[in-house]
Amino acid sequence: MSFQALGLSQQLLNAISDQGYTTPTPVQKQAIPHILAGKDVLAGAQTGTGKTAGFTLPLLHRLMENHDPHQKPRRIRALVLVPTRELAAQVLESIKTYGAHLPLIAEMVVGGASINMQIRQLRHGCDIIVATTGRLCDHMNERNINLSSVEILVLDEADRMLDMGFLPDIRRVIGNLPKQRQNLLFSATYSAPIKALANQILQNPILVEVAKPNVTSDNISELVYGIARENKRALLSYLIGSNNWQQVLVFVRTKHGADRLEKQLVTDGIRSAALHGDKTQGARTKALDLFKNGKVSVLVATDIAARGLDIDDLPHVVNYDLPQVPEDYIHRIGRTGRAGALGAAISLVSPEESSQLAEIEKLLKRKLPRIADTGYEPVSLNVIDAPKKKAPNKETGKKDFRHSKPAEKKGYVARNQAPGAKPKTQGSRSRSR
Ligand code: AMP
């Protein structure tokens, strides 16, 4: 099937062809005709499936059907709610890309950016707003924004918004929208809260399901390194250096852990940046740009900041810490192997994380392949042998589980190195990269 057959306008077809897309992805094929027909849609689609174009293209088409060029100031006719600022920036970019030949104006309303600038933009008027809920609610409180003309509401990555506790804000926003509107809900997973939200806001929705939830892409090769926690950093530096990896997204559990690992990797001579929710928006954007432009090889990120990122041809994802929520494993490794490219997802798993690994494998319904020889003393990842899991350690959590002793004290030595020698890293070699 071609894009022409979907019924999109010529301007949109031109923008699609500017991007070099020839065939709609499955979610686009299934969702676009229903959205064009004005139906509510509940779509189960992960990032990497082309879902953003799946809702953006028909949204732009529908807005153009009754666009009034004389309307001054412009009214907000479409609202896209997303969980993170990074995703907001990405969706806005997509809207601008696909709407390049259209006279529509889109703006972003997110935290961490100048509120006065946003107030000016809102006063000036726009057709589409991409927003995170917190800042949107701030503008609603201050009566800076009028949502009474919204015709289309999109909830993108709705499951993540609920995970992040945004349901009350979502409800408040929806309470300010006209009752008569089109609703599009995109979610990677169908949990009970997502179903409940869908029941509340969608009217006779069309169900679109492209990738079965809890399935990872065949393009991604996955590996588990069983490794003592205290050896993870040396192994990571070694893997990056010895394989000359140029672009690696590394997931850690805590903001503090992200900053610490970034500094350690820099000490090891690896150009790195950190991305997490405590950074200012400017610092987050800069870190992401440095990574996307190849100025740093490693981006150390927490889940909260990394969800929904679309980085072209990202070849390597490393789980430095396993996620607390098994589904996040799928989201994390979905940053690689996108749009048909090949990718590698490597998990450095310490014995304390054995039960998290077991949960992930239960969800995936398969065992992840283990590396037999990590170069370090083998560790057991059997749940029975592993110490009991400690208190939850989410990004916002305080208790960070530590090993009691460093590797040397336990007599662990990297196999290929002399006792007492520094861990193998790319050291000075990579400094010149
Ligand atoms: P998304 O799932 O929306 O994050 O999109 C994943 C990636 O797929 C983005 O980099 C898009 O530019 C790309 N993409 C979207 N639609 C198509 C298509 N029909 N053909 C090729 N690439 C696409």
Side-chain angles (χ1 to χ4, degrees):
M1 182 193 261
S2 66
F3 276 105
Q4 280 80 355
L6 292 175
L8 293 165
S9 69
Q10 192 54 48
Q11 290 101 320
L12 290 168
L13 293 175
N14 292 345
I16 292 166
S17 126
D18 294 344
Q19 291 308 299
Y21 304 164
T22 50
T23 327
T25 66
V27 70
Q28 292 163 2
K29 262 182 233 162
Q30 291 182 49
I32 289 175
H34 293 300
I35 301 175
L36 288 177
K39 303 268 195 245
D40 280 8
V41 167
L42 173 59
Q46 301 177 12
T47 41
T49 55
K51 70 178 169 64
T52 316
F55 65 76
T56 304
L57 290 166
L59 179 148
L60 292 168
H61 180 107
R62 279 185 59 75
L63 292 185
M64 281 311 294
E65 279 179 335
N66 44 20
H67 169 67
D68 176 1
H70 305 295
Q71 174 71 42
K72 295 247 166 46
R74 286 160 186 253
R75 295 164 298 134
I76 301 168
R77 296 176 57 209
L79 174 64
V80 184
L81 293 180
V82 296
T84 65
R85 300 166 193 174
E86 280 74 19
L87 188 58
Q90 241 168 241
V91 171
L92 183 71
E93 200 182 308
S94 296
I95 292 174
K96 291 190 170 167
T97 302
Y98 304 131
H101 306 293
L102 302 174
L104 299 173
I105 296 178
E107 299 289 2
M108 183 164 79
V109 164
V110 295
S114 157
I115 194 154
N116 290 330
M117 170 75 92
Q118 288 173 3
I119 293 171
R120 276 199 295 278
Q121 287 167 338
L122 290 170
R123 284 206 190 119
H124 197 249
C126 60
D127 306 281
I128 306 162
I129 288 282
V130 184
T132 50
T133 52
R135 179 56 69 86
L136 186 60
C137 286
D138 291 345
H139 282 296
M140 281 163 38
N141 292 341
E142 299 297 320
R143 301 186 184 280
N144 298 332
I145 193 162
N146 180 352
L147 298 174
S148 64
S149 300
V150 170
E151 297 161 33
I152 307 175
L153 169 70
V154 183
L155 299 180
D156 190 17
E157 307 221 346
D159 48 350
R160 175 50 55 140
M161 283 199 266
L162 298 195
D163 288 350
M164 290 167 75
F166 295 158
L167 186 57
D169 281 353
I170 295 175
R171 288 221 174 94
R172 261 205 73 204
V173 172
I174 289 176
N176 276 266
L177 303 180
K179 297 239 163 347
Q180 192 65 39
R181 56 170 200 269
Q182 184 176 18
N183 301 288
L184 313 174
L185 191 152
F186 283 74
S187 179
T189 48
Y190 282 139
S191 58
I194 284 291
K195 282 182 194 146
L197 179 67
N199 282 341
Q200 281 165 26
I201 65 169
L202 303 177
Q203 304 282 327
N204 303 321
I206 304 290
L207 295 181
V208 169
E209 178 101 44
V210 287
K212 274 186 247 126
N214 309 339
V215 171
T216 49
S217 160
D218 290 342
N219 296 338
I220 307 170
S221 61
E222 295 161 87
L223 284 176
V224 167
Y225 285 73
I227 180 90
R229 189 179 179 92
E230 58 268 32
N231 291 332
K232 280 189 180 186
R233 172 250 181 131
L235 177 60
L236 178 62
S237 290
Y238 173 72
L239 288 171
I240 295 170
S242 61
N243 295 302
N244 198 18
W245 288 344
Q246 294 296 321
Q247 209 183 23
V248 194
L249 181 58
V250 178
F251 285 100
V252 293
R253 227 170 2 195
T254 66
K255 300 167 187 173
H256 178 62
D259 285 335
R260 188 178 49 210
L261 183 61
E262 179 210 1
K263 288 196 182 81
Q264 291 171 334
L265 291 174
V266 169
T267 307
D268 288 345
I270 298 167
R271 292 163 302 148
S272 309
L275 183 69
H276 58 69
D278 262 2
K279 297 228 166 207
T280 63
Q281 191 51 36
R284 282 162 69 161
T285 307
K286 186 175 169 206
L288 198 54
D289 285 349
L290 288 171
F291 186 60
K292 284 187 172 179
N293 300 334
K295 301 252 164 56
V296 298
S297 318
V298 176
L299 186 66
V300 187
T302 55
D303 283 302
I304 204 155
R307 179 72 185 261
L309 296 184
D310 178 39
I311 300 162
D312 284 346
D313 302 325
L314 178 61
H316 299 101
V317 167
V318 172
N319 291 308
Y320 190 81
D321 298 314
L322 281 186
Q324 297 289 326
V325 182
E327 283 81 6
D328 279 347
Y329 175 84
I330 296 166
H331 301 311
R332 285 178 175 193
I333 76 166
R335 307 299 102 218
T336 183
R338 308 186 73 173
L342 294 177
I346 282 139
S347 299
L348 309 187
V349 184
S350 67
E352 294 77 16
E353 296 171 302
S354 303
S355 51
Q356 284 156 258
L357 179 63
E359 289 289 318
I360 290 167
E361 292 182 327
K362 193 167 141 203
L363 178 75
L364 298 173
K365 298 196 180 71
R366 61 187 164 82
K367 279 262 181 210
L368 293 173
R370 267 75 163 162
I371 286 285
D373 183 1
T374 62
Y376 287 86
E377 190 70 23
V379 296
S380 168
L381 297 181
N382 294 331
V383 177
I384 313 144
D385 300 340
K388 280 230 162 13
K389 230 171 81 179
K390 292 273 168 159
N393 196 339
K394 294 221 164 196
E395 191 185 7
T396 49
K398 296 264 183 276
K399 291 181 187 157
D400 193 1
F401 185 89
R402 306 282 155 110
H403 264 284
S404 49
K405 285 181 179 176
E408 296 82 340
K409 289 191 185 151
K410 285 183 181 162
Y412 292 175
V413 179
R415 284 223 184 124
N416 308 337
Q417 65 187 66
K422 279 185 77 175
K424 298 176 288 186
T425 69
Q426 59 179 0
S428 55
R429 189 178 68 76
S430 65
R431 262 180 251 272
S432 60
R433 281 214 314 252

